[in-house]
Amino acid sequence: LGDHHGRRKIMAVSLLGVAGSLSEIFIVCLLSALSNRNILLTTPVFLVGIFRYAMLNILIQYASVRFGLKISTGATFYTETAIVNIFSFLFLVPQFTAYVRLKHNVQPSVIDLFLARTSVTLMCVGCLAIGFAQTSQLLPIGVFIFAAGFGSRVSALSLVSYWIADDAKATLYAAIVVLESLGHAVGDPSIQQIFAASLQLPPFWMAMPFFVGAAFYSLAAVSTVFIRLEKRLDDGPLAGLDSEDDGLDIPPAFGPF
């Protein structure tokens, strides 16, 4: 349009101005969201979540090099992961959530926090199980545990939605996607480089990428321990009070993990 009317520079400047305004709004909203302590503590869950499929990609190569497993056979780990996720999200998690809410009247935010903690912990344990497996027959066990933690991103997204205004949610979700994309750009090649370097080491240390992944997942799990939720009591003299502003010491939901 600008070329047709001979206004290319004007159109270019206008587009740059619009892009700058949108970027400013994006950054301001993002910084405002990150000023929340709980959102900052949840960020590691998103960052480590990007390693899920990178670990599966490494696993196929690792199983082939370490145990002589065929690539086609190793690809069945994707099938196992999909089956575990279908069962978890179609049956296990909905039934568990409904039971806890109806039976014990637990807030949804408490359940989401518990699921986020549990998910990153399962991925940590799964990585360790894969890394310490001494035979290819033990790998499916580690993959099963690892895949059971794939719900970390969903739970974390649900969790952060409680702490931001409705008009800022879209911006925060976009920021999370950008953050995860940057993580993929850096994290995936890094994991591949670690695996390439580990090929020069003794067989046991070929599992180095899984030990590194377990370390990251454990850090994310520790981060979620320090998340504190508001305690809303619908009945009784403490109704309307929250745990941080009114001095109530609320223990972490369902224990540390």
Side-chain angles (χ1 to χ4, degrees):
L1 181 65
D3 288 341
H4 180 70
H5 295 284
R7 299 291 187 270
R8 180 191 300 178
K9 292 183 179 179
I10 295 176
M11 293 296 295
V13 172
S14 300
L15 291 175
L16 287 175
V18 172
S21 299
L22 292 176
S23 299
E24 181 182 4
I25 294 172
F26 179 84
I27 292 174
V28 170
C29 292
L30 177 61
L31 293 177
S32 176
L34 291 179
S35 63
N36 186 299
R37 175 177 175 270
N38 283 338
I39 294 180
L40 280 176
L41 291 172
T42 309
T43 301
V45 178
F46 294 109
L47 290 176
V48 299
I50 65 175
F51 292 113
R52 295 174 299 175
Y53 289 101
M55 288 298 177
L56 288 179
N57 290 332
I58 289 292
L59 176 59
I60 296 175
Q61 304 171 55
Y62 168 74
S64 177
V65 174
R66 175 80 188 276
F67 302 112
L69 207 63
K70 293 181 179 180
I71 298 296
S72 58
T73 304
T76 58
F77 292 136
Y78 279 104
T79 304
E80 180 184 359
T81 300
I83 293 174
V84 172
N85 283 319
I86 290 172
F87 175 78
S88 297
F89 294 111
L90 196 59
F91 301 105
L92 184 60
V93 173
Q95 291 297 324
F96 168 78
T97 302
Y99 173 79
V100 172
R101 289 197 64 185
L102 294 176
K103 190 72 174 180
H104 302 285
N105 195 27
V106 178
Q107 297 178 29
S109 58
V110 176
I111 299 175
D112 289 330
L113 177 56
F114 170 72
L115 290 175
R117 289 171 175 170
T118 304
S119 296
V120 289
T121 302
L122 285 172
M123 287 192 287
C124 175
V125 175
C127 278
L128 291 176
I130 293 172
F132 285 112
Q134 297 300 307
T135 64
S136 60
Q137 287 76 20
L138 295 177
L139 290 179
I141 300 175
V143 174
F144 179 88
I145 300 173
F146 183 71
F150 269 39
S152 61
R153 186 179 186 275
V154 176
S155 300
L157 280 174
S158 178
L159 195 58
V160 298
S161 68
Y162 297 108
W163 303 319
I164 55 177
D166 290 339
D167 57 353
K169 288 182 180 179
T171 303
L172 181 62
Y173 294 158
I176 291 172
V177 172
V178 171
L179 184 65
E180 290 176 335
S181 298
L182 293 173
H184 278 297
V186 177
D188 290 8
S190 299
I191 291 294
Q192 293 287 349
Q193 290 295 329
I194 292 173
F195 179 64
S198 67
L199 295 177
Q200 310 300 323
L201 301 175
F204 175 79
W205 294 108
M206 289 182 183
M208 182 64 70
F210 302 104
F211 297 141
V212 173
F216 283 131
Y217 289 128
S218 64
L219 290 175
V222 171
S223 176
T224 60
V225 172
F226 296 97
I227 295 175
R228 291 295 181 268
L229 300 176
E230 293 181 351
K231 183 176 181 181
R232 298 172 183 174
L233 300 179
D234 297 330
D235 303 307
L238 297 180
L241 299 183
D242 68 71
S243 60
E244 294 182 352
D245 296 337
D246 298 286
L248 295 178
D249 186 16
I250 307 300
F254 296 93
F257 295 105

